[in-house]
Amino acid sequence: MQSTNLGNKESGKIWHRKPSPATHNGIIVNVVHSTSEYHPKVLRFLNVAFDGSGDSFIAGDHQGNIYVFDLHGNRFNLVQRTAQACTALAFNLRRKSEFLVALADYSIKCFDTVTKELVSWMRGHESSVRSISVHTSGRYAITTSSDTAQLWDLDTFQRKRKLNVRQSVGIQKVFFLPLSNTILSCFKDNSIFAWECDTLFCKYQLPGPPEGCNILYKVFAVTRDGRILAAGGKSNHVHLWCLEATQLFRIIQMPTKVRAVRHLEFLPDSFDAGSNQVLGVLSQDGIMRFVNIQTCKLLFQIGTVEEGVSSSVISPHGRYITAIMENGSLNVYSVQALTQEINKPPPPLVKVIEDLPNNTVSSNNLKVKVMSGRVQRPARCKERKNQTRVLKQDLTGNLENKENELSEGLNKKRLQVLLKGYGEYPTKYRMFIWRSLLQLPENHTAFSSLMDKGTHAAYLDLQKKYPIKSRRLLRVLQRTLSALAHWSAIFSDMPYLPLLAFPFVKLFQNNQLICFEVVATLIINWCQHWFEYFPNPPINILTMIENVLAFHDKELLQHFIDRDITSQVYAWPLLETLFSEVLTREEWLRLFDNIFSSHPSFLLMTVVAYNTCSRAPLLNCTLKDDFETVENMQAEVDEQRAKDEAWYQKQEMLRRAEETRREMLLQEEEKMAQQRHRLAAVKRELEIKEIHLQDAARRRLLKLQQDQREMELRRLEDEIERKVQMRDQEIAATAKDLEMRQLELEARKRLYEKDLTASQEAIAKGIREDTDAHRRKMVLEEHVFQKLLENSQMGSRRTPRVMEDNLAKAEQACLNADWQIQTLHKQNREDRQRSEGYYEVATLLRKDRQKEIQVLDAMMEEEAKKWKEAREKEFHLQSEKKASALSDASRKWFLGQETNAALEHEEVPWLQKQHMDSTCLPQTLRLNDVSDMDSSTQIFSRDKPTEWNHTESDLLKNVRDLRRGLTARARSSCPRPHLLVT
């Protein structure tokens, strides 16, 4: 057995020496596809499909590599790399070079094996496509998945119909019936429906399996005539349905070792008219058994338990079987080598009963068996064995009978009797009888080896010498002549061989093997002495014909001699054309019925008979040129007849051209529209593909940008975290410094409070020594002084806190500048609201002061001296309060300026503004803390004395000096905050 490893090759030979399948269990070649990488592995083939001719098939592996194998040309080619596993294939489209492939992404693509380009891309399935069925015309295709089946127009590659079913039911298979427009749909609940392809009208439904049969159909097969449906499943039974009668007519039980049927396929036969009788059944053990569905006889099988078959496909003409093995390789089998029982004609309808021999003594001593099929001779009894003379006679009789007996039970003598009675054989059985009479070997291997040699050089330009209208017929004639030339070199130089072979080529154009063997048998048996004088005509044969003519018609022969007419003129043209140019088709067939049933010399007698029957016109020919003019005239007549016929046909075509032109234009427009639809579909597919590519590129770019941004964010997060750590460290260090300073301030505060307490005690002691008249004054002074100390302490405590806030704000200045601005605006609003409240309180105070002035005016008359002293003390008290208020306002202004970190140089303008605001108050001074004033506070009017104005300016000067001292103290004790720049 030859084995071919495809490896990394894209093309090459399938086998390198002549296959001998008969010696290797029918295997022509084993094909393996393995890689030569660092870790070698075998690429498993998944699907196989034959083309319409049956000489080529495509196969796809699980990595998406699709190969075309030409068994006739002994070549393989890699036609496509889909990069996806193929789930189904179809190679019998109307355009012979195109094929369909279903891929793992649920799409179906059409490729061209010649250009290796994508023709179309069809989408629509949502699950894996399990099968593809193509209509006989090649125009439509049905793709089937588990949930839907879709009908496609292969001219436009558009979906026409879609079959949806309930999920609980499921689809097993939907396919076309051969040679019809019927679609058969098989579901998982064993229901089978037949539909009209064009209208999708339900034609019939098959009844369910008989009761007690629990088989669930999973695999199906139909004969080529579309009449019988075979169905099987997880059982050893195979059901045969008659689709015409819509009933189950037979159940075939496989051997007990078969537990489930995985695949069914009928084996085509050349002589059964499509009613296939041999069914291939692949079981779970990996063995495919071929049985006769009529006799239920096992004919042959492929595969073993060790090397099982996974699936198989049979060529349309039944010559090859391509099986996908369980190890992933391909086995190509020759059916002719597997069995001799396939492709044989059916047994004859005539059943023959032989008479008893004449030398038989008694009828009781012989036994006769009546059997259909091959005729058998009666056997003699044992008592006659000792009669030597009788046995010798019987042996001679048996030899004669064997000479007359033909294959398939035919008898030559009976056929001659039938021919003599009817003058010809029945048209229905003529080819079968001819094959039996000629005893053709049907040697597929030898014929394939001759065909593999290609076209012979002698017949490359055959169409120039013998123009034939039918291109197919010309190719068959060219192949047959080439095979004869390869068989024997002498046939490459025979000028009359095309004329001799052409009628048989035209008759057997659908079976080239039979055509070749008939011509070869004819040459061997009837033309065996034609080449003794090659390249001259066979003088010996022509002499024999002349002798026979002399015996039967001396007058005609003498007429030929007198006119110098030789046998090369009146006999040889008939022989080299085998009467095909002088007889009609039916006459020629009847002639060869007699030639094949008679002795080879019958052909020579026919030539003599033809001349004898034509003796009257021949005798009228008086010149040699007349005979040659007769021969040429016949050719001229035929040529003129052909020209006349062509002229009439041309006229008829011209007459109908105007009628058909519009139809042709409409058809062309329809084709153009279909082509446009097809191109639009391809364009849409390309646009979709481009969109997908652009989308993929965009997603890739976005992912790259996202990765870069994530990396940038991680870098920023790390930097922020580092800065936060540094800030925390700085804040911690600053906090420690502030704590130390706070402790120092607290210590200074306690020391200051101690000094103030001692001073207060001294002042209190001095006041207690004063008179009761001065007690109120001392108490008021003590109250004012205490208020001053509290304000000073409050300012001292507030300064570190403000500085801490400023430090924190300075650290986060870049992050919350906007927030600070909003906060400042809010504070300004609050200040304005507070100022308005102050004005309202000041107004009330003015009213109260007016009343108090009235009271004071009344009391000044009696107690002028006392009020004068009181006014002096009150003036001093109000000055202190004003100084304290101004100091508090100065501290607030300082904190605001330090918070904004940009207004330090505006101290003097602020004081001037405060002074202007204070001088512009209506009728009285404005004090910051009005609520702390005593009810006995003096209210000064606009017409205060000049010395009071001088005192007020001195007071402002003192307050300014005090403000500067506090500022210097705060600067010496607190760090300077950073300036905020907005």
Side-chain angles (χ1 to χ4, degrees):
M1 177 180 66
Q2 297 189 57
S3 181
T4 301
N5 190 349
L6 302 182
N8 295 326
K9 297 182 294 185
E10 295 188 357
S11 63
K13 291 186 177 181
I14 304 177
W15 56 80
H16 297 278
R17 64 179 182 273
K18 181 179 179 181
S20 56
T23 60
H24 297 93
N25 298 325
I27 300 178
I28 298 176
V29 67
N30 172 257
V31 181
V32 182
H33 189 194
S34 62
T35 60
S36 58
E37 299 175 355
Y38 181 73
H39 295 287
K41 62 179 180 179
V42 176
L43 302 182
R44 298 176 57 87
F45 286 99
L46 300 179
N47 289 278
V48 176
F50 271 96
D51 65 350
S53 66
D55 293 329
S56 300
F57 67 89
I58 58 174
D61 58 25
H62 70 275
Q63 286 193 353
N65 301 314
I66 300 179
Y67 290 85
V68 171
F69 296 87
D70 184 4
L71 300 178
H72 177 71
N74 186 24
R75 298 290 298 177
F76 73 86
N77 288 286
L78 176 64
V79 295
Q80 198 57 235
R81 297 181 189 269
T82 62
Q84 300 183 63
C86 60
T87 59
L89 289 172
F91 194 26
N92 51 348
L93 309 185
R94 182 162 63 180
R95 291 173 286 275
K96 305 302 180 184
S97 61
E98 295 180 0
F99 66 93
L100 296 176
V101 55
L103 301 176
D105 62 351
Y106 313 151
S107 65
I108 303 102
K109 293 184 178 180
C110 180
F111 295 100
D112 194 296
T113 58
V114 178
T115 62
K116 300 182 181 180
E117 294 180 352
L118 176 65
V119 178
S120 181
W121 191 351
M122 298 174 285
R123 292 181 179 271
H125 283 277
E126 298 180 355
S127 59
S128 178
V129 177
R130 298 185 296 187
S131 66
I132 302 176
S133 176
V134 181
H135 191 263
T136 307
S137 63
R139 181 177 179 183
Y140 302 106
I142 295 178
T143 56
T144 306
S145 60
S146 60
D147 56 350
T148 182
Q150 301 186 17
L151 177 63
W152 303 87
D153 189 343
L154 297 183
D155 288 340
T156 60
F157 293 99
Q158 298 292 326
R159 184 176 63 191
K160 296 188 63 178
R161 300 290 180 129
K162 182 178 181 181
L163 171 63
N164 292 322
V165 295
R166 295 192 303 271
Q167 187 175 4
S168 59
V169 178
I171 301 176
Q172 288 288 10
K173 190 175 182 181
V174 180
F175 55 96
F176 287 105
L177 289 183
L179 305 177
S180 68
N181 286 332
T182 303
I183 300 175
L184 212 63
S185 59
C186 309
F187 301 94
K188 292 184 179 179
D189 58 354
N190 281 357
S191 60
I192 300 176
F193 294 85
W195 311 84
E196 185 66 30
C197 177
D198 298 329
T199 62
L200 291 183
F201 174 76
C202 184
K203 301 175 66 175
Y204 57 84
Q205 178 185 1
L206 296 183
E211 297 181 359
C213 182
N214 57 357
I215 181 175
L216 290 178
Y217 295 153
K218 292 183 178 298
V219 290
F220 307 89
V222 182
T223 57
R224 295 183 65 187
D225 59 2
R227 296 182 178 180
I228 298 178
L229 170 68
K234 196 173 183 181
S235 171
N236 65 343
H237 289 176
V238 177
H239 291 187
L240 300 179
W241 292 84
C242 179
L243 297 181
E244 292 181 343
T246 64
Q247 63 181 1
L248 181 68
F249 72 93
R250 184 165 300 157
I251 298 178
I252 299 177
Q253 182 176 0
M254 300 300 292
T256 55
K257 62 180 70 175
V258 175
R259 299 189 304 273
V261 178
R262 294 167 52 185
H263 183 66
L264 293 173
E265 190 161 3
F266 281 97
L267 182 64
D269 194 341
S270 302
F271 295 94
D272 57 9
S275 59
N276 310 135
Q277 302 298 313
V278 180
L279 176 65
V281 182
L282 176 61
S283 58
Q284 86 290 339
D285 56 1
I287 300 176
M288 190 168 187
R289 300 169 175 86
F290 289 82
V291 298
N292 190 302
I293 62 175
Q294 299 296 335
T295 63
C296 295
K297 178 183 177 181
L298 178 62
L299 302 179
F300 64 95
Q301 64 185 25
I302 60 175
T304 60
V305 178
E306 294 78 12
E307 298 181 359
V309 177
S310 177
S311 63
S312 67
V313 179
I314 304 176
S315 62
H317 50 52
R319 187 182 304 167
Y320 305 109
I321 301 176
T322 301
I324 301 178
M325 310 306 291
E326 292 181 348
N327 59 6
S329 64
L330 294 178
N331 276 359
V332 182
Y333 293 87
S334 171
V335 176
Q336 194 270 342
L338 286 171
T339 179
Q340 297 296 330
E341 298 297 329
I342 306 300
N343 286 335
K344 287 192 175 181
L349 300 177
V350 181
K351 301 178 181 179
V352 182
I353 301 177
E354 293 289 344
D355 294 332
L356 295 176
N358 295 329
N359 55 358
T360 303
V361 178
S362 173
S363 62
N364 295 328
N365 296 331
L366 295 177
K367 295 181 180 179
V368 179
K369 293 184 179 180
V370 180
M371 298 180 62
S372 62
R374 185 184 298 275
V375 179
Q376 298 184 356
R377 305 302 299 168
R380 293 187 177 274
C381 296
K382 295 182 179 180
E383 291 80 359
R384 305 295 296 177
K385 287 185 179 180
N386 55 0
Q387 299 181 7
T388 306
R389 185 176 180 181
V390 175
L391 289 176
K392 186 176 181 180
Q393 292 178 354
D394 291 341
L395 181 61
T396 305
N398 288 334
L399 291 176
E400 293 177 356
N401 290 332
K402 287 183 178 179
E403 182 181 355
N404 292 324
E405 287 182 0
L406 303 175
S407 61
E408 302 298 333
L410 297 181
N411 186 276
K412 189 174 182 180
K413 288 186 177 180
R414 302 298 178 187
L415 291 176
Q416 289 175 347
V417 173
L418 180 65
L419 180 62
K420 186 176 181 180
Y422 292 95
E424 61 178 340
Y425 291 128
T427 304
K428 183 177 181 180
Y429 299 103
R430 173 177 282 122
M431 300 298 105
F432 163 62
I433 295 174
W434 282 16
R435 292 175 61 181
S436 300
L437 289 172
L438 298 177
Q439 298 182 0
L440 302 180
E442 299 187 23
N443 192 339
H444 292 269
T445 304
F447 179 70
S448 298
S449 64
L450 294 175
M451 297 296 290
D452 292 342
K453 295 180 180 180
T455 304
H456 196 276
Y459 299 106
L460 290 175
D461 300 330
L462 182 65
Q463 68 277 7
K464 295 182 180 179
K465 297 180 180 179
Y466 300 96
I468 300 176
K469 185 177 181 181
S470 175
R471 301 287 299 177
R472 183 173 183 273
L473 192 61
L474 177 62
R475 287 196 301 270
V476 175
L477 177 61
Q478 191 177 38
R479 291 175 183 174
T480 304
L481 297 177
S482 298
L484 290 171
H486 290 307
W487 180 44
S488 178
I490 194 174
F491 295 128
S492 61
D493 296 328
M494 288 180 57
Y496 57 87
L497 183 61
L499 299 176
L500 184 144
F502 179 75
F504 297 99
V505 170
K506 191 173 182 180
L507 188 63
F508 297 100
Q509 57 181 323
N510 294 326
N511 196 329
Q512 299 182 35
L513 172 63
I514 301 300
C515 177
F516 171 80
E517 291 186 346
V518 167
V519 175
T521 304
L522 178 68
I523 293 175
I524 292 175
N525 293 276
W526 279 266
C527 308
Q528 57 181 335
H529 299 293
W530 287 19
F531 315 106
E532 295 180 0
Y533 296 91
F534 183 81
N536 298 319
I539 305 300
N540 52 343
I541 300 298
L542 298 178
T543 303
M544 294 171 61
I545 294 174
E546 188 173 351
N547 294 333
V548 174
L549 181 62
F551 179 80
H552 289 283
D553 197 340
K554 295 182 179 180
E555 182 183 359
L556 182 58
L557 178 59
Q558 188 61 39
H559 179 71
F560 288 152
I561 295 174
D562 294 341
R563 271 62 179 177
D564 195 16
I565 303 302
T566 62
S567 57
Q568 296 184 18
V569 177
Y570 65 83
W572 180 236
L574 298 176
L575 290 177
E576 63 182 1
T577 60
L578 293 179
F579 296 90
S580 61
E581 294 186 355
V582 296
L583 298 178
T584 63
R585 174 184 172 87
E586 298 300 326
E587 293 174 345
W588 187 87
L589 292 174
R590 286 196 293 269
L591 171 62
F592 272 88
D593 285 343
N594 290 272
I595 291 176
F596 289 151
S597 302
S598 306
H599 191 272
S601 61
F602 184 83
L603 180 60
L604 306 182
M605 302 299 109
T606 305
V607 176
V608 176
Y610 182 82
N611 283 275
T612 305
C613 293
S614 304
R615 66 187 311 271
L618 292 176
L619 290 174
N620 292 329
C621 295
T622 59
L623 298 176
K624 181 179 180 180
D625 295 336
D626 295 338
F627 293 94
E628 298 175 353
T629 304
V630 170
E631 182 178 358
N632 297 332
M633 186 180 299
Q634 182 66 30
E636 292 176 359
V637 169
D638 295 338
E639 184 180 359
Q640 185 63 32
R641 185 184 299 112
K643 290 182 179 180
D644 294 342
E645 184 66 22
W647 185 83
Y648 284 115
Q649 291 179 357
K650 186 176 180 180
Q651 293 299 321
E652 184 68 17
M653 290 176 61
L654 292 175
R655 186 182 63 84
R656 289 183 295 181
E658 188 66 25
E659 299 176 359
T660 59
R661 184 172 299 164
R662 294 183 180 179
E663 183 179 357
M664 291 174 62
L665 291 175
L666 291 176
Q667 292 177 356
E668 290 297 327
E669 291 178 357
E670 183 179 359
K671 290 181 181 178
M672 291 296 295
Q674 293 176 355
Q675 186 70 16
R676 281 194 291 268
H677 289 314
R678 181 176 172 182
L679 292 176
V682 174
K683 184 177 180 181
R684 286 194 299 271
E685 295 296 337
L686 292 176
E687 291 177 353
I688 292 173
K689 186 176 181 180
E690 183 179 1
I691 291 173
H692 288 203
L693 292 176
Q694 292 178 354
D695 189 36
R698 182 180 59 81
R699 289 197 298 269
R700 183 179 179 184
L701 180 60
L702 290 177
K703 187 177 183 303
L704 179 61
Q705 293 178 352
Q706 184 178 2
D707 294 341
Q708 292 179 350
R709 290 179 180 176
E710 290 178 355
M711 182 175 65
E712 185 69 19
L713 288 176
R714 285 194 298 269
R715 187 183 64 80
L716 293 175
E717 289 177 356
D718 295 340
E719 185 176 356
I720 291 172
E721 184 177 358
R722 182 175 58 82
K723 289 185 177 181
V724 167
Q725 292 178 356
M726 294 176 62
R727 186 195 64 184
D728 294 340
Q729 293 176 359
E730 292 178 357
I731 291 175
T734 305
K736 291 180 181 179
D737 295 339
L738 292 176
E739 289 178 358
M740 293 300 295
R741 293 173 182 173
Q742 184 70 20
L743 292 175
E744 293 178 357
L745 292 175
E746 290 292 334
R748 292 179 182 178
K749 177 183 177 182
R750 287 192 296 271
L751 181 60
Y752 185 63
E753 288 179 350
K754 183 178 179 180
D755 295 339
L756 289 179
T757 304
S759 300
Q760 289 177 357
E761 290 179 353
I763 294 172
K765 184 177 179 180
I767 294 174
R768 283 193 301 270
E769 293 178 353
D770 294 338
T771 59
D772 294 334
H774 296 91
R775 185 174 301 170
R776 185 173 181 179
K777 176 183 177 182
M778 298 302 294
V779 171
L780 182 61
E781 290 178 355
E782 184 179 0
H783 175 74
V784 173
F785 188 71
Q786 186 68 30
K787 186 68 175 178
L788 179 62
L789 292 179
E790 289 178 0
N791 291 335
S792 300
Q793 293 174 0
M794 184 179 297
S796 300
R797 289 194 300 269
R798 192 177 299 168
T799 300
R801 190 180 305 112
V802 172
M803 296 306 296
E804 292 176 0
D805 295 339
N806 291 335
L807 180 62
K809 292 178 181 179
E811 292 291 338
Q812 299 179 356
C814 295
L815 300 176
N816 55 5
D818 294 336
W819 179 80
Q820 288 179 352
I821 294 174
Q822 294 177 0
T823 303
L824 292 175
H825 291 172
K826 184 177 180 181
Q827 291 177 357
N828 293 332
R829 288 195 300 270
E830 292 177 355
D831 292 340
R832 288 194 297 271
Q833 293 176 359
R834 189 168 59 251
S835 299
E836 292 175 358
Y838 289 165
Y839 285 128
E840 293 178 358
V841 173
T843 302
L844 294 176
L845 289 177
R846 283 196 300 272
K847 293 180 181 179
D848 293 339
R849 288 167 186 165
Q850 291 177 359
K851 293 180 181 180
E852 290 177 357
I853 290 173
Q854 293 176 1
V855 174
L856 290 175
D857 291 338
M859 294 177 65
M860 285 182 64
E861 295 178 356
E862 297 179 356
E863 299 177 350
K865 295 181 180 179
K866 293 181 180 180
W867 282 114
K868 183 178 180 180
E869 183 180 357
R871 283 197 297 273
E872 292 177 357
K873 294 180 179 180
E874 187 70 16
F875 174 75
H876 182 70
L877 178 62
Q878 292 294 334
S879 299
E880 293 294 333
K881 287 185 178 181
K882 186 174 182 181
S884 177
L886 291 175
S887 178
D888 184 45
S890 176
R891 284 194 299 273
K892 290 182 180 180
W893 176 85
F894 172 74
L895 293 176
Q897 295 299 318
E898 291 297 330
T899 302
N900 295 328
L903 302 176
E904 184 179 357
H905 60 283
E906 296 181 357
E907 293 180 356
V908 175
W910 177 84
L911 289 175
Q912 295 176 356
K913 185 176 183 297
Q914 289 292 98
H915 177 66
M916 291 174 65
D917 292 339
S918 62
T919 56
C920 293
L921 286 175
Q923 295 181 357
T924 59
L925 284 173
R926 290 185 298 171
L927 300 180
N928 290 335
D929 193 0
V930 184
S931 61
D932 295 335
M933 295 179 62
D934 191 75
S935 60
S936 61
T937 303
Q938 286 288 343
I939 304 300
F940 300 97
S941 60
R942 292 181 179 177
D943 53 351
K944 53 185 176 288
T946 308
E947 56 273 11
W948 171 244
N949 293 333
H950 177 72
T951 304
E952 183 177 5
S953 63
D954 295 338
L955 179 62
L956 290 176
K957 182 178 180 181
N958 295 331
V959 170
R960 188 179 299 109
D961 295 338
L962 179 61
R963 172 72 179 87
R964 290 176 180 175
L966 292 175
T967 302
R969 182 180 179 183
R971 289 179 180 176
S972 62
S973 61
C974 298
R976 184 176 182 180
H978 298 286
L979 295 178
L980 297 178
V981 181
T982 60

